[in-house]
């Protein structure tokens, strides 16, 4: 449980970090909060020859940039907790971060790290998929934006190329008449989820006008639920048929079966969480209006 | 007039050792750093059952740094031997490093030493072991299938040992029974998880031929004896030191092969050698616990009297036998304790340990009793349900009320508060019981109440170990009490303190006998150089027997102080009282002399001593356990709330009513009970060490092996009843393990109550609860 040997480099600027990462390619890795990377290295599941410490870089701003909320890659999980603006515009986001780990982990862990690590049941990847966020990645050759839905390829596998790093995640700001919710269940508080469901809704005239839903625990990456999203359109906020939506979704998935939870249990749980998340989001919408 | 005599025993004294432990200044095994020290990394089997074809270490030669590598060929003949002398028991040894064959994932195959721990681990990765894999014995059923090959040459089957205990006329009980209730219960395999993993450092001084071994152990003297016998060194030239030990829980209460191995390597290389176990090693290859299956058949009269009990017990022991409690210990304990606190006189238990390709079972807080009490108390609820009786009423009808009580196996129970504790618990839970009953109409949220009533044989001593023929052999605990010329007291204790508060409680005991303050008593332990021979701290014996030894040794010292005081105050020794740092003449408190002056007289101004008295102020005492131990008792209760659609269970309340005889320090008792309960909650709901069908471990880190965390733990309410025992010098009974014994049963009973189902196994994790509540979710 000790890491294999590696060289440590402290990046002094973004350009410096990109240069180093470009130079090391496959053999280099950025280190942010270290809350996922260090355990992986101690188990020797990750063996980067070079670590590029990006913690000194000024990448921790949360800012509204026109139509998007732009969150710098080094923003720590703790930063959202007392942000009423996020609570108002991205309620599912704020719900979700409360489920992340424990205080120490939230103080150290970063959004860039969480997104890049791509744990299949991590909250921030799920939230970025739910809100159709853009992952802003940079390398020495330039910047590109990757749609969250195209970013997470499998468990711990992303669309990032060697030499590339995440600099920010951009969330389109939902319209005023919108709300959402995020519910998860794990064995213990702070554990990665056995399953979780996020819902984001636009509503008008007491009805759902547009819906997005994300689920963790059904596959090896956070997946959207197009059949539920379609089903929900036109449903009343009062009694939105959440239970039925849960059944529809549960019938369409083939969840993971492991020693924490059987596939049957996950399917049942996901149906129930879908129901509850929809109810919670609709209740919020009604409370607001 | 009488001197005002403070009583320290029973006082809520804050633990002295906490200053050190909580400020980060404790010294643990990893803090031992010696010049020229080599670091050890193990190469461990990654397959569960295989012949070793070849171990190729040639890659190490290409490294830029020096390494030393050893395999089973080098250590041939050195092994761990843990055998109980029953004719039915099949013999096995575990070589220090595998010789020819590996029998579980994690078994040490080779060691690599290097100048630093990182390099040792890098180099160990380069050792290539070629295995020829063999089919595994992975389940109890496979182990009992005599057509499958045995794990050891010369064995007739994989049943390591099978024995029987009985008493009374079971056939008559069966014939008289109106109800026969038969159930099978099982408890899952667990790891024992102290916060600090294990570790060993050894250094050999060639000049004086003295071997020093530091080990994170609960039993330094026993480690010394085993090393001496295995390495053929005189015990006088071996010093074993247990530094601060960051939790033991019984896991560190066995002698491990690595302790012998590291000592051997220090001698072999001529340099100090250090090994610090990492969490993965700890989880896969120290010891495991629980993993029982019990089939019980109860014979009950029409009016709800328990007439007899028949039991069939199997323990999945894993591959090897651990020293000193052996693979016969765990099943034997179940057979012995199943009669519990209930009054019936016909019993028969058949119990066995079977060998599988898994890590060995060892002792972990509670030792077999959490599993035994799980089955016993689940059974009591199942019987009550079948008879349509209230669980409290059924227990109260069958509980033992007359003491001393001779149980069906001939064990004598000293006085306890069995019925009283049940009645007290019944009153404490009245509201919860009502709420649980009301929740029966809900199909989404249920509340359940469950209890576990149990006794625990504690303070076992030599007679018990002789009867069990277990290689621990002896059970006394020794203490030496010494006063220095300034009147300060030192206790050298044969126990090792790793969370029991002994540095405080033992000082309280000595202070009462010697008339000094506990602050003036320095308790030393864990070092064979300074402490008298004892077999260590485990088995709920420290307070009862260690406290007894300290008490009696202190009284001897007090007697000498009184004689000196009488001489100097011109009184008779039996007129002298020691209190508040002074020796007084009873009924004439103005005639006194400070104890420190007596100490000075005894050690420096010896001309002041009575004629013919030897100088010196020290006394020693060994305290053994009573023939059948002394029986603590407790009732645990859990109140759970279950969300039926998701299976999520919340522990709302956990209540303990316990009786451990004389309480030395209520803060320490509460702490011991609460810590044990938390571990019991782990057994009930979270902890599960899982092997797949090929005996590959799946839960090798804290990401998969789930410990109970603070947010899952309710406030644990502890209520005390004090029934002192006549069998130990202070009336104290053991209490270290009890907290961990009841929770699995109490929580399972609460779940059974909430969901109106039978519960036959743990852990009751979310998935399990969801399955158990299937019938309440209708057609889904
Ligand atoms: C006990 C425990 C419980 C936890 N529970 C949860 C939980 O419930 N939910 C949850 O979501 N997480 C949980 N985590 C993980 C935590 O949220 C981590 O903080 C997060 O996954 C990674 O963030 P980090 O900044 O620590 O990244 P690091 O560990 O530093 O890095 C993780 C990976 O991302 C890469 N990386 C880091 N920054 C960048 C970047 N800007 N661009 C490209 N690659 C980058 C690294 O090279 C590495 O591969 C838990 C962790 C622990 C130890």
């Amino acid at each position: 449980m000790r890491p294999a040997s590696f060289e440590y480099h402290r990046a002094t600027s973004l350009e410096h970090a990109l240069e180093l990462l470009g130079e090391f390619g496959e053999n280099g890795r950025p280190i942010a909060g270290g809350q996922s990377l260090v355990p992986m290295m101690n188990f020797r599941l990750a063996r980067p020859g070079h670590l590029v410490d990006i913690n000194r870089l000024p990448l921790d701003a949360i800012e509204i940039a026109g139509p998007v909320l732009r969150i710098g890659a080094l923003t720590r999980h703790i930063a959202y907790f007392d942000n009423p603006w996020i609570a108002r515009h991205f309620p599912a986001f704020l719900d979700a971060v409360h489920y992340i780990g424990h205080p120490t982990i939230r103080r150290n862990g970063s959004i860039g790290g969480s997104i890049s690590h791509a744990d299949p049941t991590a909250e921030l990847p799920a939230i970025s998929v739910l809100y159709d966020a853009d992952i802003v990645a940079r390398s020495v050759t330039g910047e590109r934006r990757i749609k969250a839905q195209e970013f997470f390829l499998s468990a711990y596998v992303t669309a990032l190329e060697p030499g590339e790093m995440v600099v920010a995640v951009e969330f389109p700001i939902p319209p005023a008449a919108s709300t959402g919710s995020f519910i998860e269940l794990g064995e213990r508080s702070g554990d990665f989820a056995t399953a979780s469901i996020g819902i984001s809704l636009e509503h008008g005239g007491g009805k759902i006008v547009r819906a997005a839903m994300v689920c963790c625990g059904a596959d090896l990456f956070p997946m959207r639920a197009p059949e539920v999203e379609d089903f929900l359109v036109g449903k009343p906020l009062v009694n939105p048929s959440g239970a039925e939506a849960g059944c529809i979704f549960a019938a369409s998935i083939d969840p993971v079966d492991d020693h924490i939870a059987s596939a049957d249990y996950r399917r049942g749980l996901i149906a129930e969480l879908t129901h509850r998340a929809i109810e919670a989001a609709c209740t919020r919408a009604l409370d607001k209006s | 007039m009488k001197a005002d005599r403070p009583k320290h025993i029973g006082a809520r004294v804050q633990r002295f050792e906490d200053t050190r432990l909580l400020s980060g200044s404790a010294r643990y095994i990893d803090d031992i750093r010696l010049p020229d020290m080599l670091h050890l990394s193990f190469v461990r089997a990654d397959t569960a059952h295989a012949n070793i074809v070849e171990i190729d270490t040639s890659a190490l030669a290409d490294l830029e740094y020096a390494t030393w590598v050893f395999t089973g060929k080098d250590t041939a003949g050195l092994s761990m031997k843990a055998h109980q002398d029953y004719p039915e028991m099949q013999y096995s040894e575990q070589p220090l490093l595998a010789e020819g064959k590996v029998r579980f994932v994690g078994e040490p195959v080779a060691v690599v030493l290097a100048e630093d721990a990182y390099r040792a681990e890098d180099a160990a990765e380069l050792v290539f072991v070629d295995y020829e894999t063999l089919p595994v014995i992975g389940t109890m059923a496979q182990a009992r299938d005599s057509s499958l090959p045995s794990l050891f040459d010369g064995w007739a089957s994989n049943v390591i040992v099978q024995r029987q205990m009985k008493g009374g006329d079971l056939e008559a009980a069966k014939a008289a029974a109106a109800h026969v209730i038969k159930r099978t219960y099982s408890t899952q395999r667990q790891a024992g998880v102290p916060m600090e993993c294990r570790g060993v450092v050894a250094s050999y001084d060639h000049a004086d031929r003295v071997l020093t071994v530091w080990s994170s152990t609960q039993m330094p003297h026993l480690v010394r004896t085993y090393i001496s016998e295995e390495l053929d060194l005189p015990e006088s030239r071996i010093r074993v030191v247990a530094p601060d030990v960051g939790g033991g829980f019984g896991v560190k209460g066995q002698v491990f092969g690595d302790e012998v191995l590291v000592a051997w390597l220090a001698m072999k290389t001529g340099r100090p050698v250090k090994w610090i176990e990492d969490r993965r090693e700890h989880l896969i290859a120290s010891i495991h616990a629980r993993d029982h299956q019990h089939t019980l058949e109860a014979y009950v009269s029409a009016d709800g009297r328990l007439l007899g009990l028949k039991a069939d017990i199997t323990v999945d022991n894993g591959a090897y036998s651990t020293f000193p409690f052996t693979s016969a210990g765990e099943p034997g304990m179940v057979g012995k304790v199943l009669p519990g606190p209930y009054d019936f006189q016909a019993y028969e238990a058949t119990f066995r340990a079977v060998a599988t390709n898994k890590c060995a079972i060892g002792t972990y807080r509670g030792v077999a009793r959490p599993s035994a009490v799980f089955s016993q108390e689940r059974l009591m609820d199942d019987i009550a349900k079948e008879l349509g009786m209230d669980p409290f009423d059924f227990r109260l009808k069958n509980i033992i009320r007359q003491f001393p009580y001779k149980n069906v196996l001939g064990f004598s129970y000293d006085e306890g508060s069995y019925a009283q504790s049940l009645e007290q618990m019944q009153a404490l839970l009245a509201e919860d019981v009502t709420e649980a009953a009301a929740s029966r109409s809900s199909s989404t949220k249920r509340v359940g109440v469950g209890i576990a009533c149990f006794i625990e044989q504690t303070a076992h001593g030599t007679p018990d170990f002789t009867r069990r023929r277990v290689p621990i052999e002896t059970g006394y605990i020794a203490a030496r009490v010494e006063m220095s010329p300034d009147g300060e007291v030192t206790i050298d204790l044969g126990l090792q303190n790793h969370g029991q508060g002994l540095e405080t409680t033992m000082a309280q005991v000595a202070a009462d006998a010697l008339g000094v303050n506990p602050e003036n008593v320095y308790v030393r332990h864990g070092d064979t150089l300074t402490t008298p021979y004892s077999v260590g701290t485990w088995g709920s014996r420290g307070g009862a027997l260690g406290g007894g030894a300290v008490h009696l040794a202190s009284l001897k010292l007090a007697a000498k102080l009184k004689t000196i005081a009488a001489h100097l105050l011109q009184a008779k020794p039996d007129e002298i009282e020691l209190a508040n740092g002074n020796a007084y003449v009873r009924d004439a408190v103005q005639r006194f002399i400070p104890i420190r002056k007596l100490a000075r007289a005894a050690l420096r101004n010896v001309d002041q001593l009575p004629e013919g008295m030897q100088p010196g102020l020290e006394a020693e005492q060994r305290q053994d356990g009573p023939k059948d131990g002394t029986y603590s008792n407790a009732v645990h209760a859990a109140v759970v709330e279950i969300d039926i659609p998701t299976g999520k269970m919340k522990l709302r309340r956990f209540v303990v009513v316990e009786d451990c005889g004389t309480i030395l320090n209520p803060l320490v008792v509460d702490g011991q009970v609460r810590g044990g309960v938390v571990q019991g909650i782990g057994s009930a709901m979270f902890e599960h060490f899982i092997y797949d069908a090929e005996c590959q471990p799946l839960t090798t880190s804290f990401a998969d092996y789930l410990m109970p965390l603070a947010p899952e733990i309710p406030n644990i309410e502890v209520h005390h009843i004090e029934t002192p025992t006549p069998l130990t010098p202070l009336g104290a009974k053991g209490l270290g393990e009890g907290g961990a014994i009841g929770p699995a049963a109490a929580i399972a009973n609460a779940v059974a109550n909430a969901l109106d189902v039978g519960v036959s196994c743990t852990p009751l994790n979310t998935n399990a609860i969801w399955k158990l509540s299937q019938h309440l979710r209708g057609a889904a």
Side-chain angles (χ1 to χ4, degrees):
Chain A
M1 271 205 190
R2 289 183 180 84
S5 95
F6 60 88
E7 262 179 63
Y8 169 88
H9 312 264
R10 174 175 289 157
T12 52
S13 65
L14 181 55
E15 291 65 36
H16 184 209
L18 296 176
E19 240 167 65
L20 289 167
L21 289 170
E23 182 189 334
F24 304 134
E26 300 261 15
N27 198 23
R29 287 244 201 151
I31 180 163
Q35 299 300 299
S36 297
L37 183 54
V38 172
M40 299 275 286
M41 288 172 66
N42 285 347
F43 284 121
R44 300 194 170 204
L45 294 170
R47 296 167 172 259
H50 299 269
L51 277 191
V52 179
D53 182 349
I54 58 173
N55 283 292
R56 299 273 173 107
L57 308 186
L59 290 176
D60 60 352
I62 303 179
E63 55 202 354
I64 299 159
V68 302
L69 171 72
R70 183 181 163 97
I71 300 179
L74 281 174
T75 304
R76 313 293 164 170
H77 309 328
I78 197 86
Y80 316 111
F81 280 68
D82 48 9
N83 190 321
W85 192 90
I86 293 182
R88 192 160 70 245
H89 294 272
F90 294 93
F93 190 131
L94 206 71
D95 287 350
V97 292
H98 281 88
Y99 291 106
I100 302 179
H102 313 280
T104 323
I105 289 141
R106 296 177 195 154
R107 254 189 292 283
N108 289 293
S110 66
I111 190 168
S114 178
I115 296 276
S116 310
H117 182 62
D119 186 289
T121 58
E123 288 79 6
L124 291 171
I127 284 300
S128 66
V129 168
L130 176 68
Y131 285 111
D132 284 316
D134 279 347
I135 316 296
V136 185
R138 246 200 237 173
S139 69
V140 276
T141 59
E143 186 170 287
R144 64 175 179 135
R145 289 178 143 63
I146 310 159
K147 288 262 162 251
Q149 284 199 59
E150 283 144 31
F151 186 82
F152 302 102
L153 305 179
S154 183
Y156 314 108
V157 184
T158 69
L160 281 181
E161 300 285 344
E164 217 172 17
M165 73 174 255
V166 175
V167 292
V169 183
E170 290 184 354
F171 293 83
I173 299 169
S178 72
T179 187
S181 74
F182 187 95
I183 296 191
E184 87 171 45
L185 190 135
E187 252 340 89
R188 304 168 303 180
S189 57
D191 275 348
F192 280 103
T194 305
S196 60
I197 300 288
I199 295 282
S200 169
L201 301 175
E202 289 170 29
H203 53 89
K207 287 196 161 77
I208 298 170
V209 204
R210 205 186 75 85
M213 172 171 138
V214 70
C215 169
C216 293
D219 208 333
L220 295 175
F221 50 86
M223 67 188 281
R224 287 281 286 266
E227 47 294 67
V228 175
E229 296 174 0
D230 291 345
F231 171 84
L232 287 176
V233 173
K235 294 284 177 304
L237 293 172
V238 180
N239 196 2
S241 311
E244 199 182 330
C247 291
I248 292 174
F249 184 58
S252 75
I253 56 174
D254 183 15
V256 187
D257 191 303
D258 61 24
H259 58 273
I260 300 284
S262 67
D264 273 352
Y265 172 50
R266 278 209 172 82
R267 194 175 295 111
L269 180 62
I270 285 169
E272 178 64 21
L273 294 182
T274 302
H275 174 187
R276 290 185 185 184
I278 292 169
E279 295 282 347
C282 289
T283 304
R284 271 190 183 144
L286 292 166
D287 287 352
K288 249 164 86 172
S289 48
Chain B
M1 192 182 160
K2 244 184 112 116
D4 184 22
R5 201 156 195 274
K7 191 130 163 44
H8 299 294
I9 293 175
R12 302 175 76 84
V13 180
Q14 297 267 354
R15 301 201 316 180
F16 301 146
E17 51 266 57
D18 285 348
T19 312
R20 174 174 93 248
L21 297 172
L22 300 182
S23 65
S25 45
R27 273 157 311 196
Y28 297 97
I29 186 72
D30 201 17
D31 296 319
I32 311 276
R33 276 159 215 168
L34 303 175
D36 297 327
M37 190 160 74
L38 294 174
H39 295 259
L40 182 158
S41 186
F42 278 102
V43 177
R44 293 179 181 276
D46 55 13
T47 177
H49 196 198
N51 289 319
I52 299 174
V53 180
E54 194 202 346
I55 302 177
D56 180 1
T57 61
S58 58
L60 301 189
D62 301 334
L63 290 171
E64 289 157 12
Y65 50 88
T67 58
W68 292 254
V69 61
F70 298 89
T71 69
K73 289 210 172 81
D74 304 296
T75 55
L78 296 176
S79 66
M80 293 307 297
K81 305 162 183 76
H83 194 65
Q84 222 152 317
D85 184 23
Y86 297 127
E88 309 90 332
M89 188 164 175
Q90 305 197 82
Y91 183 81
S92 70
E93 292 179 17
Q94 178 175 8
L96 297 190
L97 294 171
E99 293 172 25
K101 214 177 214 192
V102 295
R103 294 185 180 84
F104 73 99
V105 171
E107 179 167 357
V109 173
V111 288
V112 178
L113 306 179
E115 305 274 352
D116 76 58
Y118 289 80
R119 286 186 160 153
E121 198 163 323
D122 288 348
E125 278 189 321
L126 301 174
V127 174
F128 174 75
V129 187
D130 186 11
Y131 293 109
E132 176 192 43
T133 58
L134 299 166
V136 298
I137 302 295
T139 63
M140 290 180 189
Q142 286 169 353
R144 292 184 68 185
D145 178 348
S146 52
S147 72
L148 295 176
S150 304
L151 289 194
F152 294 89
D153 293 340
W155 276 21
S157 74
N158 286 309
V159 177
I160 304 168
V161 57
Q162 174 166 319
R163 303 186 63 237
Q164 229 180 33
M165 281 183 195
K166 52 178 142 187
D169 187 346
L170 201 65
E171 283 311 311
K174 190 173 184 175
H179 307 269
V180 176
I181 290 123
K182 185 173 178 180
R183 296 282 189 279
T184 295
Y185 304 106
S186 59
T187 50
Q188 79 280 16
R189 180 169 278 255
Q190 277 187 243
V193 184
M195 203 182 293
E196 182 204 28
C197 293
R198 299 176 44 253
V200 188
V201 179
S203 166
Y204 186 65
D205 177 344
H206 282 271
D208 287 339
R209 292 185 294 120
V210 169
L211 172 71
T212 307
V213 179
W214 292 262
S215 180
S216 187
T217 179
Q218 300 170 222
M219 36 174 54
H221 289 95
L222 214 62
V223 171
R224 189 181 78 184
T225 298
Y226 198 95
I227 289 176
S228 154
E229 287 174 1
E230 199 59 21
L231 299 185
D232 201 14
L233 295 170
E235 280 203 59
S236 57
R237 293 192 186 261
I238 305 174
R239 175 185 180 191
V240 177
V241 185
D244 278 319
V245 170
F249 309 123
V251 178
K252 298 174 182 174
Q254 20 250 317
V255 181
F256 285 89
D258 43 59
E259 290 171 312
V260 183
L261 181 66
V262 172
W264 181 82
L265 287 166
M267 296 179 69
K268 185 90 182 164
T269 60
R271 293 176 61 175
V273 174
K274 179 179 199 171
W275 169 65
I276 300 297
E277 182 184 60
D278 67 32
R279 186 59 69 188
R280 181 171 184 277
E281 292 180 292
H282 182 80
L283 288 172
I284 66 172
S286 55
I287 57 103
H288 285 169
R290 317 292 188 243
D291 212 349
H292 290 216
Q293 184 172 308
H294 307 157
T295 297
L296 305 184
E297 193 170 297
Y299 309 119
V300 187
S301 72
D303 66 340
R305 285 217 150 272
L306 192 55
L307 304 174
L309 180 66
K310 186 174 174 185
D312 184 88
I313 295 144
T314 306
V315 174
D316 178 345
N317 173 80
Y320 295 107
S321 186
T322 48
F323 183 90
F325 298 105
T326 84
S327 37
E330 188 88 0
M333 181 70 99
V334 183
K336 182 169 84 165
V337 306
L338 265 180
Y342 302 109
D343 179 17
F344 62 92
Q345 287 296 336
Y347 176 67
E348 180 186 301
T350 305
F351 46 91
R352 66 187 69 78
V354 298
T356 56
N357 289 110
K358 300 176 189 171
C359 176
I361 294 285
T363 52
Y364 170 52
R365 201 174 195 170
V367 190
R369 285 158 298 192
S371 302
V373 168
F374 176 77
S375 300
Q376 170 206 298
E377 289 299 277
R378 277 298 305 121
L379 182 69
M380 293 305 128
D381 267 24
D382 279 346
I383 298 173
K385 189 173 173 183
E386 184 127 338
L387 272 63
M389 285 180 76
D390 173 84
F392 277 107
D393 294 345
F394 178 70
R395 286 176 175 83
L396 282 166
K397 180 149 198 166
N398 287 285
I399 202 86
I400 292 164
R401 292 166 188 269
Q402 296 289 321
F403 300 99
Y405 176 86
K406 201 169 224 31
N407 90 352
V408 61
L409 293 173
F411 288 90
S412 173
Y413 298 172
D414 50 335
E415 186 164 354
S417 49
Y418 307 179
Q420 190 192 341
S421 55
L422 271 169
E423 281 156 4
Q424 186 171 339
M425 186 61 89
Q426 194 169 20
L428 286 163
L429 294 178
E431 279 178 30
D432 302 286
V433 169
T434 309
E435 194 187 341
S439 81
R440 284 304 180 89
S441 58
S442 170
S443 60
T444 52
K445 185 185 277 187
R446 287 282 181 96
V447 173
V449 179
I451 56 166
C453 174
F454 62 93
I455 55 173
E456 184 194 355
Q457 185 198 25
T458 67
H460 323 85
T462 305
D464 200 66
F465 300 124
T466 307
R467 195 160 44 207
R468 278 151 68 180
R469 293 186 242 177
V470 50
I472 186 97
E473 292 174 342
T474 190
Y476 64 82
I477 293 170
R480 186 167 54 233
V481 181
E482 184 176 347
M483 191 174 274
S484 43
D486 59 357
E488 294 285 316
V489 179
T490 307
I491 297 176
D492 284 317
L493 191 63
L495 294 166
Q496 200 284 335
N497 180 40
H498 49 279
Q500 294 83 356
L502 293 170
E503 292 170 40
T504 312
T505 51
M506 295 301 118
Q508 291 174 258
V509 170
D512 268 353
L514 291 169
V516 299
N517 286 321
E519 289 78 6
N520 300 110
V521 182
Y522 174 35
V523 179
R524 303 195 295 190
H525 58 86
D527 185 345
T528 62
L529 193 69
T530 52
T531 61
Y533 197 93
S534 296
V535 284
T537 304
W538 43 266
S540 302
R541 298 152 12 96
L545 302 184
V550 168
H551 173 67
L552 295 176
S554 302
L555 287 182
K556 285 186 199 168
L557 197 58
K560 184 161 185 181
L561 288 170
K562 286 179 181 177
T563 308
I564 301 170
H567 176 65
L568 297 178
L569 295 170
Q570 293 169 348
K572 294 202 198 86
D574 61 7
E575 292 172 339
I576 302 292
E577 280 217 22
L578 304 175
N580 298 322
N582 293 316
Y584 299 81
V585 178
R586 192 180 308 113
D587 305 327
V589 288
Q590 71 283 5
R591 287 167 65 201
F592 74 92
I593 182 168
I595 289 174
R596 93 189 114 73
K597 288 214 165 145
L598 302 177
R600 201 168 167 88
L603 290 151
R604 294 190 57 76
N605 308 131
V606 295
D607 56 318
Q608 297 177 2
L609 290 179
E611 181 117 1
M613 182 183 270
Q614 282 282 311
L617 277 176
E618 57 196 57
E620 200 162 307
Q621 179 75 32
R622 284 175 172 71
Q623 179 65 40
D624 213 330
K627 180 168 155 290
D628 289 346
T630 163
Y631 287 79
S632 302
N633 65 276
V635 179
H636 286 193
V639 181
V640 303
E641 181 183 304
I642 295 173
D643 180 37
I644 304 293
T646 61
K648 190 75 185 167
M649 172 159 78
K650 188 176 164 216
L651 247 186
R652 269 209 204 165
R653 222 184 142 187
F654 201 97
V655 191
V656 175
V657 176
E658 70 81 40
D659 187 342
C660 63
T662 305
I663 291 178
L664 301 183
N665 181 337
L667 293 176
V668 170
V669 172
D670 287 354
Q672 288 290 306
V673 171
R674 292 204 174 100
V677 167
V678 172
Q679 288 177 310
I681 292 172
S683 303
M685 295 171 63
F686 302 105
E687 297 182 45
H688 190 182
F689 196 92
I690 305 172
Y691 284 98
D692 71 8
E694 294 305 310
C695 287
Q696 278 293 334
L698 301 181
T699 48
T700 62
S701 82
F702 282 154
D704 297 302
Y705 187 83
L706 306 184
M707 299 296 294
L709 302 179
E712 278 69 51
I713 307 299
N715 174 39
I716 297 162
E717 304 160 44
V718 187
H719 304 268
H720 306 286
I721 300 173
E722 234 174 314
T723 312
T725 177
L727 303 178
T728 66
L730 294 165
K733 303 174 178 180
L735 99 137
E737 296 171 277
I741 293 176
I747 291 169
N749 281 341
V751 170
N753 175 247
L755 302 178
D756 200 15
V757 288
V759 174
S760 59
C761 59
T762 49
L764 295 162
N765 56 23
T766 316
N767 197 154
I769 299 285
W770 185 78
K771 258 178 104 173
L772 285 169
S773 47
Q774 196 85 47
H775 62 291
L776 299 174
R777 279 189 301 274

